[in-house]
Structure formats: structure tokens, C-alpha cells
Amino acid sequence: PIQHPGADDGSLNDHSVKHFAYSTYANIVTETETEFFGFEKNYPIPFTSEKTYKPFLSCQLPVFLAAQGHLNYIKSLGFETFDHILCQGYDQFDTFQKVDAIVDLVSKGNEYIEHIYFEHIKEIEHNHKLVNSNQVEQLIFDRILNVVNN
């Protein structure tokens, strides 16, 4: 969050997970790029920024508005992505289809997402431990070395 209306606690430009916006059950992450145009040769994975990792750092359920293949990539790093709370095939939807699915999820209300949250505490804790370990960085580094060496 860059700005929150009515924020008068000095958090206006706080981009850390200490910001009060990260104290909710779910985080709708709007990734920098929401479409993957398939430049497989030069860019074999969808663009992923630091925003992807904030729900894991803040122990939230992630809901990604991101490019096609984003969930698959995040899963390949070992994260739980909770895609079952959205429609089947969500990872391959275009931006507009994903927005519709997110609106449907939000329309289910706070009690629904609170129930999902507490039903999946173990997975949320797994993501938090994983993002705070060096396993993800090591896996990415190993993959880069594999590309360079082949």
C-alpha cells in the first residue's frame, strides 16, 4: 500500500509488512505485470516482484492478480498458493477474468475468508517459514546456474 485514506499514524509511505494493511486475513497482490505474453525463450517465467512475497512475510492468504503461470511458478518454489479459494484454471485466466474471480471471492465476505484463513494455518506458517529461510534464494540461484551452464 502506498497510501491509505485517513492514515494519520505516520504509515502513509510505509511499504513494509509492518503497515496496518498487512494485518488482514488476505492480501490481494496486484503484481507489476498481469499478463504473460509468452516470451519463453528470453523470459521463461512470469515477472515476479517483491509484492509476491509480502503475504508470505505477513502471514496472509495471498490472492494474486498476476500474469498467467504466476501461481505455478510460486508453487515450484515450494509455496502454498491457496488457488482452491478461487476458480479452477485461475492461473491461466487473463487480467479481466482474474478481476472477476477476485470480485467473486471478496463478495463472499469477511467471515468466509476468516474461515479459510484459520482452516489453513499450517500452510500459512509453512509459507512464512519458507520465505524467511534461504531455500527459495538457493533454488532460484541453482536454476540460474543450470540455465547458464546449459
Side-chain angles (χ1 to χ4, degrees):
I2 295 172
Q3 184 174 352
H4 185 276
D8 59 2
D9 61 356
S11 63
L12 189 60
N13 291 310
D14 181 1
H15 302 281
S16 72
V17 294
K18 294 178 184 177
H19 188 280
F20 60 87
Y22 295 105
S23 63
T24 60
Y25 294 118
N27 184 335
I28 301 171
V29 177
T30 305
E31 192 47 86
T32 303
E33 294 183 10
T34 61
E35 292 290 331
F36 182 59
F37 298 104
F39 301 115
E40 295 292 331
K41 201 172 211 177
N42 296 324
Y43 306 101
I45 58 171
F47 179 83
T48 305
S49 75
E50 82 289 347
K51 290 178 258 183
T52 290
Y53 300 98
K54 285 191 175 181
F56 305 139
L57 287 166
S58 58
C59 296
Q60 293 175 300
L61 292 167
V63 178
F64 295 107
L65 178 58
Q68 296 86 354
H70 186 264
L71 291 177
N72 190 46
Y73 174 68
I74 296 303
K75 280 187 234 181
S76 79
L77 297 176
F79 291 104
E80 297 288 338
T81 58
F82 307 97
D83 31 325
H84 64 281
I85 66 174
L86 295 160
C87 3
Q88 187 173 10
Y90 177 84
D91 195 30
Q92 295 307 313
F93 286 4
D94 67 24
T95 301
F96 297 106
Q97 292 170 309
K98 286 181 181 176
V99 169
D100 288 342
I102 292 169
V103 168
D104 288 344
L105 175 64
V106 170
S107 72
K108 293 179 180 179
N110 291 335
E111 290 177 4
Y112 175 77
I113 205 69
E114 179 182 11
H115 172 75
I116 297 295
Y117 181 88
F118 286 109
E119 194 174 77
H120 295 282
I121 289 291
K122 288 183 182 179
E123 294 91 338
I124 292 166
E125 289 174 348
H126 162 81
N127 285 345
H128 185 73
K129 287 177 186 174
L130 183 60
V131 79
N132 283 296
S133 74
N134 67 350
Q135 291 175 306
V136 174
E137 288 87 354
Q138 187 60 52
L139 181 58
I140 293 170
F141 182 72
D142 291 345
R143 289 178 179 178
I144 291 169
L145 281 178
N146 188 40
V147 168
V148 170
N149 293 328
N150 290 323

